[in-house]
Amino acid sequence: MSGRIVVIGVGNPLRGDDGIGPAVVEALRGRVPDGTVLAVSDGEPARLLGIWRGADTVVIVEALRTRPARPGALHTLTPAEAAGHSRGTASTHGFGLGDCLALAEALDLLPPRLVVHAVEVADVELGTPLSDAVRSALPELTDRAAASVRQAYARRDEP
């Protein structure tokens, strides 16, 4: 195992609440140990697979669509739970994170440990800022991602 720990903020900061993943990555700068890979992705599967290649632990932060929507509600998902969400109902992207995780599993490219921290979104229209509900969830979502990174380092450093 490489011990490599990667945090990926999935989303587009130009599309309202879809920018929450990149916002969390920015908020983590200086809060996680040196050597932690902090990356932003638009969610395209090949790019995601490339970013996490060789990682032992991957933490993904993502915007989540649900019906009925509860903007600002936080979720922590296992890969199986995230992969169980169908395209268009969970992700704000055309090819959803669930689809990407299912593909990674089929290709045996899932990292040993992967967790998804997500927030339910209100508005993903082009040119809008984060909604008040999602902006209010940013500190807790960042804390959850930081806690996952700390846990990964603790596991890595166990004898």
Side-chain angles (χ1 to χ4, degrees):
M1 286 207 233
S2 70
R4 189 166 168 251
I5 298 166
V6 177
V7 179
I8 305 171
V10 177
N12 181 344
L14 300 176
R15 290 187 53 220
D17 290 343
D18 191 42
I20 191 66
V24 168
V25 165
E26 190 57 37
L28 286 173
R29 295 190 192 285
R31 287 192 57 186
V32 295
D34 290 342
T36 304
V37 176
L38 298 174
V40 171
S41 173
D42 61 3
E44 195 280 323
R47 284 190 280 276
L48 281 173
L49 296 176
I51 293 169
W52 80 45
R53 174 176 237 111
D56 287 331
T57 300
V58 175
V59 178
I60 295 178
V61 184
E62 169 73 297
L64 182 71
R65 284 189 191 176
T66 58
R67 291 189 183 105
R70 298 173 306 153
L74 299 175
H75 300 269
T76 299
L77 307 170
T78 66
E81 290 167 332
H85 288 286
S86 62
R87 184 178 352 158
T89 60
S91 179
T92 58
H93 315 291
F95 194 94
L97 179 61
D99 297 319
C100 178
L101 294 174
L103 175 64
E105 183 175 26
L107 297 173
D108 197 27
L109 295 175
L110 278 175
R113 284 180 290 284
L114 185 142
V115 63
V116 177
H117 294 292
V119 62
E120 292 185 35
V121 298
D123 185 4
V124 293
E125 292 300 315
L126 187 62
T128 60
L130 292 176
S131 67
D132 290 340
V134 171
R135 186 183 339 288
S136 294
L138 178 60
E140 175 64 22
L141 189 59
T142 302
D143 288 346
R144 287 184 183 198
S148 290
V149 170
R150 284 192 304 275
Q151 290 169 358
Y153 276 99
R155 273 192 307 271
R156 186 185 82 172
D157 296 338
E158 288 176 351

